[in-house]
């Protein structure tokens, strides 16, 4: 199972969106909507990697009307952030 955790980054809210940049050289990404909440969930446990299924379950506890295919949506979102250097991928059951 693929799990993800945040890499060292900087972040700032502009009032509506979350801007995040991987340290030390970026890139800088604008995260909108529920994506920002997903990153906040990852930030709550920085030493522990989470799977898309775990994040979807936690999201359902925070937000009403989470779609049934949330795990698939989150998987794609996390893969994009992994390619941007925002996340670290952990394969297997590692923490």
């Amino acid at each position: 199972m693929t799990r993800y955790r945040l890499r060292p980054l900087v972040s700032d809210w502009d009032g509506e969106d979350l801007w995040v940049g991987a340290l030390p050289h970026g890139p800088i990404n604008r995260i909108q909507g529920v994506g920002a909440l997903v990153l906040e969930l990852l930030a709550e446990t920085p030493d522990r990697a989470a799977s898309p299924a775990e994040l979807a379950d936690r999201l359902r506890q925070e937000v009403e009307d989470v779609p049934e295919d949330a795990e698939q949506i989150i998987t794609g979102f996390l893969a994009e952030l992994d390619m941007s250097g925002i996340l670290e991928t952990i394969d297997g059951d590692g923490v």
Side-chain angles (χ1 to χ4, degrees):
M1 164 188 339
T2 301
R3 304 169 74 78
Y4 298 88
R5 68 176 158 218
L6 293 174
R7 291 185 181 271
L9 58 85
V10 293
S11 64
D12 189 33
W13 284 96
D14 71 1
E16 292 184 22
D17 301 325
L18 178 65
W19 293 86
V20 295
L23 294 175
H25 303 335
I28 297 171
N29 294 280
R30 183 173 106 189
I31 310 296
Q32 299 174 292
V34 177
L37 182 55
V38 170
L39 287 184
E40 286 182 0
L41 292 174
L42 284 170
E44 287 177 0
T45 54
D47 295 332
R48 186 176 181 284
S51 70
E54 292 168 332
L55 291 167
D57 288 342
R58 290 177 60 197
L59 199 57
R60 285 185 178 94
Q61 296 171 12
E62 301 284 332
V63 179
E64 292 182 25
D65 300 324
V66 173
E68 289 185 28
D69 63 344
E71 183 178 342
Q72 292 173 323
I73 295 167
I74 291 170
T75 298
F77 172 70
L78 296 176
E80 288 179 27
L81 292 180
D82 183 36
M83 290 184 348
S84 296
I86 301 296
L87 298 179
E88 176 182 10
T89 300
I90 314 274
D91 289 319
D93 293 330
V95 176

